[in-house]
């Protein structure tokens, strides 16, 4: 028996032992979801908190970096590796058929109104990829955006990164990604 025969015998033995299970051809696409979302944290840069932001934090009991309780003449705590959470970004990718994908994002703040959003959303698939920059510079409680892209049938992925400026602090997006199957 050659190398190919030995490999086939090994796979057959694993199938019989129940270690491997055959995947029907119709089920192979069901392993990749047609829609997926992920939520990632916004992490505060404590050094970006101004005196005005400290007053806002005290007035609204926002404990970010100790801004609500630390005396104005004392430095804020910065010992958290990566920063304290100041909100979240949700990234969603959905197959719309014909190789089309809808990529959407939503930003929410736990530390006051959002003043500025600068996000880079990259997406790619069998037909190529692209990156879009979303910039929104007006005060809002939550910011959203989306794009429709032809990425071709098969596996596709999207990634989000960037920064969000809130009334209290500048926050960075902890990069995250989603993967789907496009029909």
């Amino acid at each position: 028996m050659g190398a190919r025969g030995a490999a086939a015998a090994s796979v057959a033995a694993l199938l019989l032992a129940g270690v491997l299970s055959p995947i029907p051809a119709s089920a192979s696409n069901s392993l990749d979801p047609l829609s997926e979302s992920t939520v990632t944290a916004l992490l505060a840069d404590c050094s970006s908190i101004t005196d005005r932001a400290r007053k806002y934090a005290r007035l609204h009991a926002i404990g970010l970096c100790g801004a609500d309780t630390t005396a104005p003449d004392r430095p804020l705590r910065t010992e958290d590796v990566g920063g304290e959470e100041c909100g979240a970004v949700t990234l969603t990718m959905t197959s719309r058929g014909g190789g089309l994908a809808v990529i959407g994002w939503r930003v929410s703040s736990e530390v006051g109104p959002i003043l500025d959003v600068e996000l880079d959303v990259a997406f790619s698939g069998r037909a190529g990829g692209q990156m879009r920059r979303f910039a929104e510079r007006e005060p809002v409680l939550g910011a959203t955006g989306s794009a429709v892209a032809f990425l071709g049938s098969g596996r596709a992925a999207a990634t989000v990164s960037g920064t969000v400026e809130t009334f209290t602090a500048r926050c960075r997006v902890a990069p995250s990604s989603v993967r789907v199957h496009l029909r």
Side-chain angles (χ1 to χ4, degrees), residues 18-29:
V19 175
L20 293 178
S21 61
I23 299 173
S26 63
S28 64
N29 287 342

Side-chain angles (χ1 to χ4, degrees), residues 38-43 85-91 105-110 114 119 142-143 164 171-173:
T38 186
V39 178
T40 189
L42 290 175
L43 301 173
E85 289 188 26
C86 55
V89 174
T90 303
L91 176 66
W105 57 268
R106 181 179 70 240
V107 176
S108 61
S109 168
E110 297 173 0
I114 296 168
L119 296 180
V164 175
C171 308
R172 69 175 174 79
V173 176

Side-chain angles (χ1 to χ4, degrees), residues 101-138:
V102 176
I103 302 96
W105 57 268
R106 181 179 70 240
V107 176
S108 61
S109 168
E110 297 173 0
V111 294
I114 296 168
L115 303 177
D116 183 27
V117 174
E118 291 185 21
L119 296 180
D120 291 323
V121 181
F123 33 95
S124 62
R126 187 167 279 173
Q130 49 187 291
M131 179 163 24
R132 297 239 178 113
R133 172 155 282 214
F134 293 94
E136 196 168 302
R137 290 179 173 77
E138 56 186 65

Side-chain angles (χ1 to χ4, degrees), residues 23-145:
I23 299 173
S26 63
S28 64
N29 287 342
S30 67
L31 296 178
D32 296 322
L34 296 176
S35 183
E36 186 176 9
S37 289
T38 186
V39 178
T40 189
L42 290 175
L43 301 173
D45 172 3
C46 294
S47 67
S48 70
I49 299 176
T50 64
D51 289 338
R52 186 180 87 179
R54 281 180 163 202
K55 289 176 187 173
Y56 182 84
R58 280 192 294 280
L59 182 65
H60 296 284
I62 297 171
L64 187 67
C65 305
D68 62 336
T69 57
T70 305
D73 61 336
R74 307 290 308 160
L76 296 176
R77 68 175 181 255
T78 59
E79 66 275 1
D80 280 350
V81 175
E84 294 183 32
E85 289 188 26
C86 55
V89 174
T90 303
L91 176 66
T92 303
M93 186 175 206
T94 303
S95 173
R96 289 295 182 211
L100 288 177
V102 176
I103 302 96
W105 57 268
R106 181 179 70 240
V107 176
S108 61
S109 168
E110 297 173 0
V111 294
I114 296 168
L115 303 177
D116 183 27
V117 174
E118 291 185 21
L119 296 180
D120 291 323
V121 181
F123 33 95
S124 62
R126 187 167 279 173
Q130 49 187 291
M131 179 163 24
R132 297 239 178 113
R133 172 155 282 214
F134 293 94
E136 196 168 302
R137 290 179 173 77
E138 56 186 65
V140 293
L141 294 177
T144 62

Side-chain angles (χ1 to χ4, degrees), residues 144-161:
T144 62
S146 64
V148 177
F150 175 75
L151 300 175
S153 295
R155 294 187 120 178
T159 303
V160 64
S161 61

